Amino acid sequence: MANEFGENLKKIRKEREITQEQLADAVGVSAQAVSKWEQGSFPDASLLPAVADFLGVKIDELFGRKEEHFSFEQLLAQEFDVAERDEEGNLLFGAEAEKRRMLCVWRICHLLGCTYMRCNNIREVSEMTIEGNLWNKVYMQIVDEGGFIQAKLNKSLRYFLVMPQPEEGYDGKEALKYCEELEELFCFLGKPNVLRVLFLLAEQEQNIFFDCNTLMEELGIDLENAQEIVEGLLRLRLVARAELKRGGRNEEICQYRLDCNLISFLTFAYILQDIPTNFSVRIQNRNTPYFQHSTYKK
């Protein structure tokens, strides 16, 4: 360790074109003392801060201990490792661990949103914003020519959405262009009991199977309405067609397939119904329209 300190001291001093006499004068010792340090002896511990400051390095660097740098992926892995442990440091498993991981993802996303704003004390600002708005309808919204970021901060229904501006705009060929299928979807959702059926299916276990009789029994609707809803769900591919073998014949049934997509759809449907007005952060730096190709005219 002594040799490593001396070698590092000599190397750093020469790189900075500093003589032994100059270093000695700066820290209040003789040039012979500096020479001895470089040959293997140690300075008094109280002199180390002055030596490091004069050479423009950290004390650790004089001893060969360079600052460790972590990749972004490694830092994220560390965050998740902490999130998955209880107060005593024990690793959690199952649903509890999954909930903590998901909350960790959400917090990291919010932290990135604060970083995007180039604010100081980013982590402190992020934590203060989240913890201070657990029970209120409070949002983050950052809009500029690069796209937009939206987040809901309160505990009841948190989300974080990042939508970079596509090359051809949001209504480009592969994006949100107008189409008759979309119009058909909205017309179908407005028909009697359709939304009730979607809520019913979302309450069931994943990959639930059902038929017209299921809807009639659960919602108390008539056969004609149930058949119309099932036909619409199949036509719009909101459910998948399946078969059930019974009594020597195959009966057509349906399999629910919307999964989490219904939740995200309803979340932003509620926003259209109740436009956010309360923001912890709101930046509006966009001048161009979101849609630019007039696809509704074609």
Side-chain angles (χ1 to χ4, degrees), residues 211-231:
D211 60 10
C212 292
N213 291 326
T214 308
L215 305 186
M216 293 168 61
E217 293 170 4
E218 293 290 336
L219 297 176
I221 61 179
D222 59 39
L223 177 59
E224 183 179 356
N225 188 200
Q227 288 176 333
E228 181 185 22
I229 292 173
V230 168
E231 289 171 3

Side-chain angles (χ1 to χ4, degrees), residues 171-173 175-187 236-237 291 294-298:
D171 60 341
K173 291 181 180 179
L176 303 175
K177 64 179 181 179
Y178 170 86
C179 63
E180 292 181 356
E181 290 81 359
L182 190 61
E183 187 169 306
E184 183 183 3
L185 169 64
F186 281 104
C187 289
L236 294 167
R237 299 183 297 279
F291 288 174
S294 300
T295 59
Y296 61 93
K297 293 182 179 180
K298 300 176 183 178

Side-chain angles (χ1 to χ4, degrees), residues 5-13 23 37-38 51 55:
F5 172 82
E7 291 170 2
N8 288 329
L9 176 62
K10 185 176 181 179
K11 177 176 178 291
I12 295 169
R13 178 180 62 77
L23 177 57
W37 297 344
E38 294 182 354
V51 173
L55 295 175

Side-chain angles (χ1 to χ4, degrees), residues 12-26:
I12 295 169
R13 178 180 62 77
K14 288 190 172 183
E15 285 176 350
R16 285 154 177 72
E17 298 181 353
I18 295 172
T19 66
Q20 289 182 341
E21 288 76 12
Q22 289 172 324
L23 177 57
D25 289 342

